[in-house]
Amino acid sequence: MRIHRLTFQAIGPYPGKQDLAFEQLDAAGLFLLDGPTGAGKSTILDVVTFALYGKADDERKNTELHSTLAEPGTPPTITLDVSFGLRRFVIDRVLQHFAPRRGAKDADDVVTRQASIALSEVVEGQSQQLTTRVDEAQQILRSVIGLTREQFTSVVLLPQGEFARFLKASSNDREAILRQLFNTHRFDEIGDYLSQQAKTLRSAVESDSQRRESLRAVLIQTAETYAPSWEDDAGTQHLVEQEHQGSDETAALDLDALPDAELIAHVESRMTALQAHAQQRVAQASTTLETTRKKLTDLQEQQTQLREATDFRTRRVAHEAQAAEAKSARHQLDDHARAKPVVDAQNHLDTATQQLNAAVESWQHHFDAAQDDDVIGTWARQAAEGHQLFAVDLDDVPALCDQWKTIEATAIRALEQVQQHEKTQSSIAAARKRLAEWKRSHAGLTKQLQDFETTFATLTEQLDANRARAEELSGAEHTLQAAQQRLEET
């Protein structure tokens, strides 16, 4: 801290304005405030303290600094131009004081004027006001000074008779003052940082030691676990001479006493031997797996052939059954072919019967008509009376000839119908004979159909048996696939 100028008025024994240019004393280095007792030397120090902290000491109130010698209405003011390091500040303070009320006639009629401050900083020769608030100004000054008022008055400005108290202060109090004065907290921070780093390093060393011991235990356990004692496929000990020597060395070595590097080298040698043996076992397993795959392929081919043979046998049985059915179907077709004329004859017989019935009805109609004919009636009466039948008059001959022709034609038609009826009766007899033969053939076909149903039931049972056999073969195939998978996993 360097004081450049101090200006104040109406404070202590100084009623007027005082201007102290300390810059003029910079060349001297050291200077002395000299004067008789009560001259005001301590007041100057109190003014500096008040300008910096807003309070001179704990024993006096701020209003007591106001000079009783000053003219009424003269405010107590302080202006301090001071530097802290590379920063320069100008502090303008007005102390709390009593002032006459405006317009008051009585000198004792006064009011209290509150303290105020204006803090400015000189930057490149220009004054820049920082704040006019008391609390903000105190915070800024406290940060740049680095000392509390108590520490400042104990170290920088010692009141009269207080230096002995500083010397007699406790070590903790002096340490606090000196730490604050010489800014030794950075060394404390360095010490704390180094202490923390040392603690961290000690923790890391302890962790590394524990990790080392853990790794050594793992290495020793690995060396003991994987000592050369594996067996080959025949179940007998199978180690080469080098492995026998490694086993003897492992038994002879005290693994706990080995240095880290030797223990690691020993475990690496055992792991290398194990890797070589594992590769050999893998090669053997690969060969075995390849052989097993070939066997499995052969079994699969045999299974395929067996399945094809089973399918062929099934198809053959089905073909044989279909051949018998085809033969039976051919017989049925022949029987149906033979039965068709019978059916046609039956239809013809029905038609002929209908025609015969129609002819008989027609003949009966003509017969009844002939009986109702007048000529026939006349002939019948004349014959019954004994008259000559054909003794007629010549004039009636043409009419009789016409009637005779009519009767002759009717008789011829009736005769033809009788002949046709006889032929129809013969056809009906033949058709009935063929129908009887067809019924006998139908009975034979019914029996063959029953035989076919029996054969079908037998074939169904055989098919179920073949299906069960196929399921057994499928289970065997799944077993083979599972065996192949296990071989691959091995």
Side-chain angles (χ1 to χ4, degrees), residues 27-326:
L30 293 175
F31 58 89
L32 176 65
L33 295 178
D34 184 31
T37 301
K41 302 184 294 299
S42 297
T43 301
I44 296 176
L45 300 179
D46 291 338
V47 170
V48 172
T49 303
F50 191 91
L52 295 176
Y53 294 99
K55 189 175 183 180
D57 54 42
D58 296 330
E59 298 179 357
R60 291 184 294 176
K61 298 181 180 180
N62 294 336
T63 54
E64 296 180 1
L65 293 177
H66 189 192
S67 178
T68 59
L69 303 177
E71 293 293 332
T74 303
T77 60
I78 301 173
T79 301
L80 177 63
D81 186 358
V82 61
S83 295
F84 300 97
L86 299 178
R87 301 181 68 180
R88 184 170 179 174
F89 297 90
V90 176
I91 306 171
D92 290 321
R93 284 186 182 271
V94 177
L95 281 67
Q96 182 180 352
H97 61 282
F98 299 106
R101 191 185 302 273
R102 291 182 182 179
K105 298 180 180 180
D106 189 358
D108 296 331
D109 188 7
V110 296
V111 295
T112 302
R113 305 293 183 186
Q114 298 297 327
S116 62
I117 188 174
L119 178 63
S120 303
E121 183 176 5
V122 180
V123 180
E124 296 181 355
Q126 299 294 327
S127 178
Q128 298 178 1
Q129 189 177 70
L130 299 181
T131 182
T132 58
R133 293 182 56 179
V134 177
D135 53 349
E136 291 182 356
Q138 291 297 133
Q139 184 177 1
I140 295 172
L141 293 174
R142 175 69 175 80
S143 63
V144 296
I145 296 173
L147 293 174
T148 64
R149 185 182 63 80
E150 291 77 9
Q151 293 172 344
F152 182 80
T153 57
S154 299
V155 177
V156 180
L157 296 179
L158 285 176
Q160 296 180 8
E162 293 294 328
F163 186 73
R165 185 172 64 86
F166 171 74
L167 296 178
K168 295 178 181 180
S170 64
S171 59
N172 293 332
D173 294 339
R174 287 199 301 269
E175 180 181 0
I177 295 173
L178 294 176
R179 282 180 181 275
Q180 190 73 20
L181 178 62
F182 296 105
N183 196 20
T184 60
H185 64 276
R186 59 181 181 274
F187 300 107
D188 294 336
E189 293 176 357
I190 295 173
D192 294 339
Y193 173 76
L194 294 177
S195 177
Q196 184 64 30
Q197 289 297 317
K199 184 177 179 181
T200 302
L201 292 176
R202 281 194 299 271
S203 299
V205 170
E206 292 177 359
S207 177
D208 292 341
S209 298
Q210 294 176 358
R211 180 64 176 168
R212 171 180 170 275
E213 294 299 329
S214 177
L215 292 175
R216 280 186 61 86
V218 171
L219 291 174
I220 293 172
Q221 183 180 3
T222 302
E224 293 174 351
T225 301
Y226 296 101
S229 61
W230 55 82
E231 298 179 352
D232 63 1
D233 296 336
T236 59
Q237 296 294 328
H238 182 68
L239 300 175
V240 297
E241 182 179 358
Q242 182 180 357
E243 293 169 349
H244 280 299
Q245 294 176 357
S247 178
D248 296 338
E249 292 175 357
T250 302
L253 286 175
D254 185 3
L255 298 178
D256 293 332
L258 286 178
D260 294 344
E262 295 182 5
L263 180 59
I264 293 173
H266 175 72
V267 174
E268 285 181 349
S269 65
R270 298 310 314 138
M271 292 297 103
T272 302
L274 282 173
Q275 184 178 4
H277 182 71
Q279 291 176 352
Q280 182 180 1
R281 292 294 297 275
V282 168
Q284 293 175 358
S286 299
T287 304
T288 304
L289 179 61
E290 187 65 27
T291 304
T292 306
R293 284 180 177 174
K294 290 181 180 179
K295 292 181 180 180
L296 181 61
T297 303
D298 295 338
L299 289 175
Q300 289 176 348
E301 292 178 356
Q302 293 177 4
Q303 184 182 7
T304 303
Q305 295 174 0
L306 178 61
R307 189 183 298 109
E308 292 177 354
T310 303
D311 294 341
F312 176 76
R313 185 169 60 252
T314 303
R315 290 196 300 272
R316 181 177 179 182
V317 173
H319 289 167
E320 291 176 355
Q322 291 175 358
E325 293 177 356

Side-chain angles (χ1 to χ4, degrees), residues 328 332 335 439-455:
S328 175
Q332 289 180 0
D335 293 338
K439 289 181 178 179
R440 289 193 296 272
S441 177
H442 178 70
L445 291 174
T446 302
K447 184 178 180 182
Q448 290 179 359
L449 181 60
Q450 293 176 353
D451 295 338
F452 288 155
E453 291 178 352
T454 304
T455 304

Side-chain angles (χ1 to χ4, degrees), residues 374-407:
D374 294 337
V375 177
I376 299 300
T378 302
W379 287 355
R381 287 192 303 271
Q382 289 178 358
E385 293 177 355
H387 294 288
Q388 188 177 359
L389 182 64
F390 295 102
V392 297
D393 191 1
L394 292 175
D395 295 331
D396 297 330
V397 171
L400 292 174
C401 288
D402 292 335
Q403 294 177 358
W404 173 253
K405 290 179 181 179
T406 304
I407 294 170

